Amino acid sequence: MTITIYHNPDCGTSRNTLAIIRQSGEEPEVVEYLKNPPSRERLVELIAAMGMTPRELLREKGTPYAELNLGDPKWTDDEIVDFMLAHPILINRPIVLTPLGTVLARPSEAVLDILPNPDIGPFTKEDGEVVIDASGRRV
């Protein structure tokens, strides 16, 4: 089974998502997308697979979003993809692909909806937030 995560190790949400995947018994292919950005074709495929628009995938926090005036509606989807390719930090993360689907795992527990084995037992995020309690129930 192949699971791929487009990951930023500096992002808590991305680290939590990776931990959930591993706790499910899978070792995903980890793509550090800031070091190895997706091709234009792959990025467009990912956006389509998530049922999003490029604008919906844009990350604002900690990026050149404001400096590039990306909130302006004048930018086309193709132009937004161009900005993401030029500045991969603009791609929101983590993006996870499994045989069951593709999601932007924000919040990180959204990945449970596409894991082949979502019964991972208790799970608590790095910040102490309980996602799955001791009885195996999503909180």
Side-chain angles (χ1 to χ4, degrees), residues 4-136:
T4 302
I5 179 171
Y6 286 83
H7 177 63
N8 178 350
D10 293 332
C11 170
T13 301
S14 200
R15 289 191 306 270
N16 284 318
T17 302
L18 181 56
I20 289 170
I21 295 167
R22 287 179 170 155
Q23 192 163 317
S24 81
E26 300 286 343
E27 184 54 43
E29 175 187 355
V30 177
V31 178
E32 289 191 33
Y33 73 97
L34 295 177
K35 293 179 183 176
N36 299 299
S39 67
R40 167 178 277 284
E41 179 182 30
R42 184 65 170 155
L43 182 56
V44 169
E45 287 172 358
L46 291 169
I47 292 166
M50 291 184 289
M52 303 176 87
T53 66
R55 185 170 296 282
E56 290 170 324
L57 187 60
L58 273 175
R59 179 168 177 83
E60 294 182 38
K61 182 180 173 190
T63 74
Y65 179 93
E67 167 188 325
L68 295 169
N69 195 27
L70 293 178
D72 190 323
K74 74 178 182 179
W75 302 115
T76 67
D77 285 352
D78 282 342
E79 289 170 324
I80 290 173
V81 169
D82 289 339
F83 281 116
M84 288 185 201
L85 294 170
H87 308 277
I89 194 71
L90 288 166
I91 302 170
N92 213 341
R93 77 279 179 165
I95 299 171
V96 180
L97 296 82
T98 79
L100 301 178
T102 304
V103 297
L104 173 61
R106 298 194 75 79
S108 54
E109 56 268 26
V111 75
L112 291 165
D113 297 333
I114 62 164
L115 287 179
N117 176 25
D119 299 322
I120 65 169
F123 186 83
T124 302
K125 293 182 183 181
E126 291 177 357
D127 66 2
E129 178 186 347
V130 175
V131 174
I132 301 175
D133 66 19
S135 66

